[in-house]
Amino acid sequence: KAGVTQTPRYLIKTRGQQVTLSCSPISGHRSVSWYQQTPGQGLQFLFEYFSETQRNKGNFPGRFSGRQFSNSRSEMNVSTLELGDSALYLCASSAGVRLTEAFFGQGTRLTVV
Amino acid sequence: AQTVTQSQPEMSVQEAETVTLSCTYDTSESDYYLFWYKQPPSRQMILVIRQEAYKQQNATENRFSVNFQKAAKSFSLKISDSQLGDAAMYFCAYRGPNAGNMLTFGGGTRLMVKP
């Protein structure tokens, strides 16, 4: 069974640009969550999608957005990039609504210069 | 808002010895879930162990066990017979009863294993 796949693995962008990250969950999983990991702020929840609907949202500015497609694949978009957006972005997929294990991808390392 | 605190930024253990990583959390909920995740240099988060708050029995997974003290809001991880492959960042995480799959993480503890 394939794991959670995040693409690309590494990305370098210039301040002011926008970026789109992709996450393909484990087959059959309907929930996808996104996290930002930085040395200063640690792991912070961005948002969760379940069956194409945003179910939870963290405390991030509107420049951070996401969506989920009918095949459960999810994309995360960051517009007007700032230097502080440099981080490891992790995606996690889960099978259902109640307690199920969250499986993480290897992340996308975004560097904003 | 729920908070998770890991007071030990770094820990060191001798191979084959036992080490305990600490975690405390704050919540007003009675039904919730707690997790320990391991993040090796590959960056992929791996679930080590989980605990449902309604279960009084402490969870165990092979060499990993927890000491769950609900009243004290404490959730420590004990690693027995430490191995070199256990070296990683360890994160404690909380999930509320109505939070979907949203996890609140602690700041992490870097575990070093000495041969």
Side-chain angles (χ1 to χ4, degrees):
Chain A
K1 196 173 187 182
V4 179
T5 303
Q6 289 188 247
T7 55
R9 292 288 305 280
Y10 301 90
L11 206 48
I12 300 176
K13 288 288 188 178
T14 302
R15 193 169 46 181
Q17 287 186 314
Q18 75 163 11
V19 66
T20 299
L21 311 182
S22 178
C23 173
S24 294
I26 292 171
S27 177
H29 284 194
R30 297 161 63 191
S31 167
V32 174
S33 301
W34 289 89
Y35 295 85
Q36 181 195 65
Q37 185 175 21
T38 60
Q41 299 298 317
L43 277 153
Q44 293 186 287
F45 172 79
L46 280 155
F47 28 65
E48 179 197 2
Y49 286 86
F50 182 82
S51 294
E52 301 180 65
T53 301
Q54 187 179 88
R55 184 159 67 176
N56 287 296
K57 189 177 191 304
N59 189 24
F60 277 82
R63 300 185 297 106
F64 291 81
S65 63
R67 59 177 176 170
Q68 186 179 34
F69 301 95
S70 58
N71 62 357
S72 292
R73 189 178 72 85
S74 177
E75 286 182 348
M76 187 194 113
N77 184 276
V78 188
S79 63
T80 318
L81 283 165
E82 300 177 0
L83 297 178
D85 297 333
S86 295
L88 178 66
Y89 290 89
L90 291 167
C91 163
S93 81
S94 301
V97 179
R98 289 288 291 172
L99 174 65
T100 53
E101 180 179 346
F103 294 85
F104 283 81
Q106 288 190 283
T108 294
R109 171 77 66 188
L110 171 65
T111 302
V112 182
V113 297
Chain B
Q2 288 77 22
T3 58
V4 179
T5 303
Q6 294 178 247
S7 59
Q8 307 150 316
E10 214 169 79
M11 290 283 286
S12 179
V13 64
Q14 206 71 34
E15 196 176 5
E17 297 294 308
T18 296
V19 65
T20 299
L21 308 184
S22 301
C23 172
T24 57
Y25 57 94
D26 185 29
T27 183
S28 58
E29 304 285 353
S30 59
D31 181 23
Y32 50 86
Y33 311 93
L34 297 165
F35 307 84
W36 277 98
Y37 278 90
K38 170 185 177 181
Q39 187 179 39
S42 68
R43 309 179 317 196
Q44 186 160 15
M45 301 281 278
I46 302 164
L47 179 66
V48 175
I49 199 165
R50 65 182 175 188
Q51 175 83 42
E52 290 95 325
Y54 68 86
K55 291 186 178 179
Q56 294 184 341
Q57 187 172 7
N58 289 324
T60 62
E61 286 287 342
N62 301 313
R63 299 182 295 107
F64 300 88
S65 62
V66 298
N67 183 4
F68 174 49
Q69 302 289 325
K70 191 172 184 179
K73 296 179 182 174
S74 171
F75 183 60
S76 60
L77 174 70
K78 185 171 83 171
I79 305 174
S80 304
D81 186 25
S82 296
Q83 301 175 359
L84 295 177
D86 295 334
M89 283 292 291
Y90 285 82
F91 293 93
C92 177
Y94 166 97
R95 201 183 99 178
N98 302 307
N101 288 296
M102 180 177 76
L103 296 170
T104 300
F105 286 91
T109 296
R110 180 174 301 282
L111 178 65
M112 295 177 289
V113 181
K114 298 177 180 177

